[in-house]
Amino acid sequence: MKKKKVPSMVKDQQLIKHRREQMIQGAITLFKEKGYHRTTTREIAKESGFSIGTLYEYIGSKEDVLYLVCDSVYEEVRTRLDSLIDTESVGLDRLKLIITSLFNVMDEMQDEVLVMYQEVKSLPKEALPYVLKKEVAMTAIIEQAIKDCREPGVLTISDKEATLMAHNIMVKGQMWTFRRWALKHSFTLKEYTDIQIKMLLGGVVSEQMS
Amino acid sequence: MKKKKVPSMVKDQQLIKHRREQMIQGAITLFKEKGYHRTTTREIAKESGFSIGTLYEYIGSKEDVLYLVCDSVYEEVRTRLDSLIDTESVGLDRLKLIITSLFNVMDEMQDEVLVMYQEVKSLPKEALPYVLKKEVAMTAIIEQAIKDCREPGVLTISDKEATLMAHNIMVKGQMWTFRRWALKHSFTLKEYTDIQIKMLLGGVVSEQMS
Amino acid sequence: MKKKKVPSMVKDQQLIKHRREQMIQGAITLFKEKGYHRTTTREIAKESGFSIGTLYEYIGSKEDVLYLVCDSVYEEVRTRLDSLIDTESVGLDRLKLIITSLFNVMDEMQDEVLVMYQEVKSLPKEALPYVLKKEVAMTAIIEQAIKDCREPGVLTISDKEATLMAHNIMVKGQMWTFRRWALKHSFTLKEYTDIQIKMLLGGVVSEQMS
Amino acid sequence: MKKKKVPSMVKDQQLIKHRREQMIQGAITLFKEKGYHRTTTREIAKESGFSIGTLYEYIGSKEDVLYLVCDSVYEEVRTRLDSLIDTESVGLDRLKLIITSLFNVMDEMQDEVLVMYQEVKSLPKEALPYVLKKEVAMTAIIEQAIKDCREPGVLTISDKEATLMAHNIMVKGQMWTFRRWALKHSFTLKEYTDIQIKMLLGGVVSEQMS
DNA sequence: CATGAATGAGTTTTCATTCAT
DNA sequence: GATGAATGAAAACTCATTCAT
């Protein structure tokens, strides 16, 4: 389950990194517009600023491009998220910070994230687990943050509930991208975030608690 | 925004219906396995039990198959859901029934639903709005059921919150299919349903309300 | 080199004749619009007023339709021409009458004639000679009429010249159909006929003969 | 009404020219044999000496091949004709030279010309006018040459007559190709030319002039 | 006789990938 | 390393023809 190795004919690691970044940007632009399958390798090469021959100096197959894109998007989401939540806050505050940060990142990267979630299923069988692992890792962070809030009178929640809540939060983040067609008419990001947090952490409903 | 007309060279309406049902079943089976783009029209024809020539007697293009599949899945979800929630129950009971029913239907039809949500984006531009309309309609039903629960001491919720909660419920239904790879390890459908309802309708968290 | 036999599954000769007439009319209409190759047998059947199955009760293959069309057009041209030139006139008057009649028939049947000349080359190898025979026969009539004008002081013309003049007249007739795009801007049928006759039979140029 | 642009994926203009020449030769050979519609793109590629994939690097669609063929044949006819008539001759001599040259070119290029005249009608709507323009241009040259002969006692002819005579000459040129099946039995090219010139420019008929 | 659904070989076109320069 | 022309397998779609009803 380690990072998939994308083959390249080129030795210079610096160059590989540079070219692949160009490639990923070009590919995202195109995938956004027409999806992975309707985008040709020729188009990716052109959009990336080099020739089809060069493209294949840095990848082994078209699927590698998709893998690089998915990997890159996850990495970027992760990096941005980490930088936002790297604070001293603890407990509920930290959990709220994580949620807010997640939604913010999803909003900033909505096109990239949408592309990624819509196309992961086209990844080759061997690459999927590696990508899913990142999803699992992020979910685990949230789950931990939830569990760290558990305290009588603050958050009473079972392990299973914590797990599911973590999944829910992840999905609410993604949902902001894939259900945008409906949500954007009714909510700003701030409204969306506030209401979701309120619903997640209580306050909406009250009768059962008495 | 009306039902898209899929052209057919065959006159017998009964036969059209029958053949298209075969076709939809065949297509779902294949889309499940390899996705829409990796499935060829020949494969669809073969899986459906007829020749490629016959396939094209009942559709105008490959995209029509996708449209028929999406339309059919929505219709089926809707029919099943309607039959499950067509009861006398009202208020919170009715809302819980709707949620439970939705999740049950999603569970029963997980493959079909997954296929549909993953491939809608490949629908031709003109067909998408029609399909989204169905999603909107289902969300609206849930939203109404939520609003019908509003009562001091039972459910205090603003219009916006109700709208978002409806979306959340729809997404939690879909999530049971597209996040199955993670959820199935931790939850049975019953557990999933119970916890989600509990989280949606309160009881998990309590301190803030005081 | 006899009339090609077009096979039919039907016995009733009367019916065969009737159906084929429908078929020929339908086919000409379509060939006019889109040419033989771009017209499908299904379209021919529909335009003719019956089903594709019925079409094949009266022909053996699509090429037979083309043959029937070509044959029919020639027959019609011939019939009309014969009826127009069946008079007592002789000599130059008769020749002029033939030319005028030919051009008139070509004008009346321009679409049919154009279709025929454009598509004969698609006839199956065996059918072509039979159709060409009709062309030869018509040319021969003209050639004879030319020769019948030969008389010192009236028309002095060698055999070879007479032959070529006959071909020229045939082609001038066809030309009125296939070069219509250019001629219709400059000439009415009457003008066209008058000038062509004048040019064919002298009067345009004169000085060299003295 | 300008030269239609045929799209190519290849950049090297030299190479495009070369490949298209191969393609045109291959296509003419095949169209000659079986016509445009019965010739497949695969056959064209093979006959041209490259693969089907390569063929489509140099054209956008099968119709483009037809356009290239028609364009090329006209260009070639025009070039050859121009080189033959580029002399000092004037008046009747020049007209006779043009006619003789036209017939010679038609004879040399009979297959190509025949193919072109039989298939122009299959050109896409937008391409036809451009090709017809070339036909018009050639006719105009002849018309001018005719008018340049006008002189009392040499050639007395009205404008309309000159126009029609020009069309006649063009058609007599084409006729040598499309009526070859009949003419070749009776005439050599020289005979054909001599008699046609005699008939066009007088001497065959005489009675009216007295 | 008439019908029209079924067939599948054949057609155009695309596009990932290779490799000589 | 970079280029882009060449390749051909594979895909969508067509349509003449058949044959059971």
Side-chain angles (χ1 to χ4, degrees):
Chain A
M1 201 90 70
K2 36 188 339 193
K3 197 151 192 155
K4 188 192 163 181
K5 178 121 184 57
V6 175
S8 171
M9 306 271 73
V10 175
K11 304 285 155 185
D12 185 339
Q13 290 301 318
Q14 204 58 39
L15 191 51
I16 292 181
K17 199 171 169 235
H18 175 58
R19 289 286 192 230
R20 287 190 179 164
E21 271 162 17
Q22 294 177 278
M23 195 188 306
I24 289 164
Q25 281 320 307
I28 288 177
T29 305
L30 294 167
F31 292 176
K32 226 182 280 185
E33 253 178 66
K34 28 202 315 209
Y36 170 72
H37 282 101
R38 296 199 204 285
T39 302
T40 70
T41 50
R42 259 176 165 168
E43 289 170 321
I44 296 171
K46 188 168 192 188
E47 184 76 26
S48 309
F50 37 74
S51 71
I52 181 66
T54 301
L55 182 74
Y56 274 88
E57 293 289 308
Y58 296 92
I59 54 161
S61 77
K62 190 187 175 187
E63 282 177 336
D64 287 341
V65 179
L66 182 57
Y67 172 75
L68 288 173
V69 164
C70 291
D71 191 44
S72 151
V73 172
Y74 256 117
E75 214 66 41
E76 177 80 7
V77 166
R78 194 50 200 277
T79 306
R80 294 200 191 196
L81 188 61
D82 284 352
S83 85
L84 288 174
I85 66 178
D86 177 29
T87 68
E88 300 289 295
S89 65
V90 290
L92 265 183
D93 282 347
R94 178 170 160 78
L95 182 54
K96 286 179 189 171
L97 174 66
I98 291 181
I99 296 172
T100 308
S101 303
L102 177 65
F103 291 4
N104 276 319
V105 172
M106 290 290 153
D107 186 64
E108 286 162 21
M109 299 179 63
Q110 52 184 277
D111 286 334
E112 289 84 349
V113 169
L114 190 53
V115 162
M116 193 196 62
Y117 281 117
Q118 282 182 335
E119 309 290 1
V120 261
K121 68 166 196 307
S122 298
L123 279 176
K125 289 277 167 294
E126 341 86 61
L128 188 59
Y130 170 68
V131 174
L132 289 185
K133 231 182 116 173
K134 303 214 165 179
E135 180 83 16
V136 169
M138 287 180 61
T139 311
I141 289 176
I142 299 174
E143 186 175 346
Q144 192 52 55
I146 295 168
K147 287 180 174 170
D148 289 348
C149 298
R150 283 197 289 200
E151 200 184 324
V154 176
L155 186 65
T156 319
I157 192 171
S158 71
D159 277 6
K160 278 210 164 170
E161 286 165 353
T163 303
L164 187 50
M165 185 183 273
H167 281 288
N168 282 344
I169 290 168
M170 283 295 288
V171 169
K172 280 169 204 276
Q174 295 163 217
M175 171 182 165
W176 181 247
T177 71
F178 71 69
R179 216 174 170 79
R180 225 183 143 49
W181 56 270
L183 298 176
K184 70 178 167 199
H185 298 309
S186 314
F187 308 94
T188 63
L189 174 61
K190 178 150 179 25
E191 286 173 335
Y192 180 77
T193 308
D194 289 347
I195 303 179
Q196 290 290 27
I197 289 180
K198 187 176 172 198
M199 283 177 166
L200 279 161
L201 299 179
V204 175
V205 290
S206 55
E207 83 298 350
Q208 269 109 331
M209 277 129 281
S210 55
Chain B
M1 202 90 70
K2 32 188 341 194
K3 201 152 189 153
K4 188 192 164 179
K5 182 138 180 43
V6 175
S8 172
M9 307 263 65
V10 173
K11 299 181 170 179
D12 185 336
Q13 291 301 321
Q14 205 59 38
L15 191 52
I16 291 180
K17 202 172 167 234
H18 175 57
R19 290 284 188 237
R20 287 193 177 159
E21 272 162 17
Q22 293 178 277
M23 202 157 92
I24 289 164
Q25 282 320 308
I28 287 176
T29 305
L30 294 166
F31 292 176
K32 225 182 283 184
E33 250 178 70
K34 28 199 322 204
Y36 170 72
H37 282 101
R38 294 201 205 283
T39 302
T40 70
T41 51
R42 292 196 116 83
E43 289 171 320
I44 296 171
K46 190 168 192 186
E47 184 75 26
S48 309
F50 36 72
S51 70
I52 181 66
T54 300
L55 181 74
Y56 276 91
E57 292 286 302
Y58 295 92
I59 53 162
S61 76
K62 192 186 173 189
E63 280 178 338
D64 286 341
V65 179
L66 183 56
Y67 171 74
L68 289 174
V69 164
C70 290
D71 191 47
S72 150
V73 171
Y74 256 116
E75 215 68 40
E76 178 79 7
V77 166
R78 194 52 201 276
T79 307
R80 293 202 193 193
L81 187 62
D82 285 352
S83 83
L84 288 174
I85 65 178
D86 176 30
T87 68
E88 300 289 295
S89 65
V90 291
L92 266 184
D93 281 349
R94 176 167 160 79
L95 182 54
K96 287 182 190 170
L97 174 65
I98 290 179
I99 297 172
T100 308
S101 302
L102 178 65
F103 292 3
N104 274 320
V105 171
M106 290 291 154
D107 185 63
E108 286 164 20
M109 298 178 64
Q110 52 184 277
D111 287 335
E112 288 85 349
V113 168
L114 189 53
V115 161
M116 193 196 62
Y117 281 117
Q118 282 182 335
E119 309 291 1
V120 262
K121 68 163 198 308
S122 298
L123 279 176
K125 289 276 166 295
E126 342 86 62
L128 189 58
Y130 171 67
V131 173
L132 288 185
K133 234 181 112 170
K134 304 215 166 179
E135 181 82 17
V136 169
M138 286 181 61
T139 311
I141 290 177
I142 298 175
E143 187 176 344
Q144 193 52 54
I146 294 169
K147 287 181 175 169
D148 290 345
C149 298
R150 284 198 289 199
E151 202 184 324
V154 176
L155 186 65
T156 318
I157 193 171
S158 71
D159 276 6
K160 277 212 164 169
E161 287 166 353
T163 302
L164 187 52
M165 187 183 271
H167 282 289
N168 281 344
I169 290 169
M170 282 295 289
V171 170
K172 280 170 203 276
Q174 294 162 219
M175 171 182 165
W176 182 246
T177 72
F178 73 67
R179 216 173 170 80
R180 220 180 148 51
W181 56 271
L183 299 175
K184 71 179 168 198
H185 298 310
S186 316
F187 309 92
T188 64
L189 172 61
K190 177 147 179 28
E191 286 171 335
Y192 179 77
T193 308
D194 288 346
I195 303 179
Q196 290 291 26
I197 288 179
K198 187 175 170 201
M199 283 177 164
L200 280 162
L201 300 180
V204 175
V205 289
S206 54
E207 80 302 342
Q208 269 110 330
M209 276 130 282
S210 56
Chain C
M1 202 91 67
K2 33 188 336 194
K3 197 148 190 158
K4 190 195 161 179
K5 179 120 182 55
V6 175
S8 171
M9 307 270 73
V10 175
K11 305 285 155 184
D12 185 339
Q13 289 302 318
Q14 204 58 38
L15 191 51
I16 292 181
K17 200 171 170 237
H18 174 58
R19 290 285 192 230
R20 286 190 178 163
E21 272 162 16
Q22 294 178 279
M23 194 187 307
I24 289 163
Q25 281 320 309
I28 287 176
T29 305
L30 294 166
F31 292 176
K32 225 182 282 184
E33 253 178 67
K34 26 201 318 205
Y36 170 72
H37 282 100
R38 294 199 205 284
T39 301
T40 69
T41 51
R42 258 175 166 169
E43 290 171 320
I44 296 171
K46 188 168 193 187
E47 184 76 26
S48 309
F50 37 73
S51 71
I52 181 66
T54 301
L55 183 74
Y56 274 88
E57 292 288 308
Y58 296 92
I59 53 162
S61 77
K62 191 186 173 189
E63 282 177 336
D64 286 341
V65 179
L66 182 57
Y67 172 74
L68 288 173
V69 164
C70 290
D71 191 46
S72 151
V73 172
Y74 256 116
E75 215 67 42
E76 178 79 7
V77 166
R78 196 50 202 278
T79 307
R80 293 201 191 193
L81 188 63
D82 284 352
S83 84
L84 287 174
I85 65 178
D86 177 29
T87 68
E88 300 289 295
S89 65
V90 291
L92 265 184
D93 282 349
R94 177 169 160 79
L95 181 55
K96 287 180 190 171
L97 173 67
I98 290 180
I99 296 172
T100 307
S101 303
L102 177 66
F103 291 3
N104 276 317
V105 172
M106 289 291 154
D107 185 64
E108 286 163 21
M109 298 180 63
Q110 51 184 278
D111 287 335
E112 288 84 348
V113 169
L114 190 54
V115 162
M116 193 195 62
Y117 281 117
Q118 282 182 336
E119 308 290 2
V120 261
K121 67 164 200 308
S122 298
L123 280 176
K125 289 276 167 297
E126 341 85 64
L128 188 59
Y130 170 68
V131 173
L132 289 185
K133 234 182 112 172
K134 303 214 166 179
E135 180 84 16
V136 170
M138 287 180 61
T139 312
I141 290 176
I142 299 174
E143 186 174 347
Q144 193 51 55
I146 295 169
K147 287 181 174 167
D148 289 347
C149 299
R150 282 197 290 201
E151 200 183 324
V154 176
L155 186 66
T156 318
I157 192 173
S158 72
D159 276 6
K160 277 211 163 168
E161 286 164 354
T163 301
L164 187 51
M165 185 183 274
H167 282 288
N168 281 344
I169 290 169
M170 282 295 289
V171 169
K172 280 168 202 278
Q174 295 164 214
M175 172 182 164
W176 181 246
T177 72
F178 72 69
R179 217 175 169 79
R180 223 182 145 49
W181 57 271
L183 299 175
K184 70 177 169 200
H185 297 310
S186 315
F187 309 94
T188 63
L189 173 61
K190 179 148 178 28
E191 286 172 335
Y192 179 77
T193 308
D194 289 347
I195 304 178
Q196 290 291 26
I197 288 180
K198 189 176 170 198
M199 283 177 165
L200 280 162
L201 301 179
V204 174
V205 290
S206 55
E207 79 301 342
Q208 268 111 330
M209 276 132 280
S210 57
Chain D
M1 202 92 69
K2 29 186 345 193
K3 199 151 191 153
K4 189 192 164 181
K5 183 136 179 47
V6 175
S8 172
M9 307 263 65
V10 173
K11 298 180 171 179
D12 186 337
Q13 291 300 320
Q14 205 60 37
L15 191 51
I16 292 180
K17 202 171 167 235
H18 175 56
R19 290 284 188 237
R20 288 193 177 159
E21 272 161 18
Q22 293 179 277
M23 201 157 92
I24 289 164
Q25 282 320 308
I28 288 176
T29 306
L30 294 166
F31 292 176
K32 227 182 279 183
E33 252 179 66
K34 27 200 321 203
Y36 171 72
H37 282 102
R38 295 199 205 285
T39 302
T40 70
T41 51
R42 292 197 115 82
E43 288 172 319
I44 296 171
K46 190 168 193 183
E47 183 75 26
S48 309
F50 36 73
S51 70
I52 181 65
T54 300
L55 181 73
Y56 275 90
E57 292 287 301
Y58 295 92
I59 53 162
S61 76
K62 191 185 173 189
E63 280 178 338
D64 285 341
V65 179
L66 183 57
Y67 171 75
L68 289 174
V69 164
C70 290
D71 191 46
S72 150
V73 172
Y74 256 115
E75 215 68 41
E76 177 80 8
V77 166
R78 197 49 202 278
T79 307
R80 293 202 192 194
L81 188 62
D82 284 352
S83 84
L84 287 175
I85 66 179
D86 177 29
T87 68
E88 300 288 295
S89 66
V90 292
L92 266 183
D93 282 348
R94 177 169 160 80
L95 182 55
K96 287 180 189 170
L97 173 66
I98 290 180
I99 297 172
T100 308
S101 302
L102 178 65
F103 293 3
N104 275 319
V105 172
M106 290 291 154
D107 185 63
E108 286 164 20
M109 299 179 63
Q110 51 184 278
D111 287 336
E112 288 84 348
V113 169
L114 190 53
V115 161
M116 194 196 61
Y117 281 116
Q118 282 181 335
E119 309 291 2
V120 261
K121 65 163 202 308
S122 298
L123 279 176
K125 290 277 167 295
E126 342 86 62
L128 189 59
Y130 171 68
V131 174
L132 288 185
K133 232 182 117 171
K134 304 214 166 181
E135 180 84 16
V136 169
M138 287 180 63
T139 312
I141 290 177
I142 299 176
E143 186 174 345
Q144 192 53 55
I146 294 169
K147 287 180 174 169
D148 289 346
C149 298
R150 283 198 290 200
E151 200 183 325
V154 177
L155 187 65
T156 319
I157 193 171
S158 72
D159 276 6
K160 276 211 163 169
E161 287 165 353
T163 303
L164 186 52
M165 185 182 273
H167 282 289
N168 282 343
I169 290 169
M170 282 295 289
V171 169
K172 281 168 202 279
Q174 294 164 217
M175 171 181 165
W176 182 245
T177 71
F178 71 68
R179 216 172 169 81
R180 221 180 146 52
W181 57 270
L183 300 174
K184 70 178 168 197
H185 298 310
S186 315
F187 309 93
T188 63
L189 172 62
K190 180 152 178 26
E191 286 172 337
Y192 180 77
T193 308
D194 289 347
I195 303 180
Q196 289 292 26
I197 288 180
K198 188 177 170 197
M199 283 177 164
L200 280 162
L201 300 179
V204 174
V205 290
S206 56
E207 84 298 349
Q208 268 109 331
M209 277 128 282
S210 57

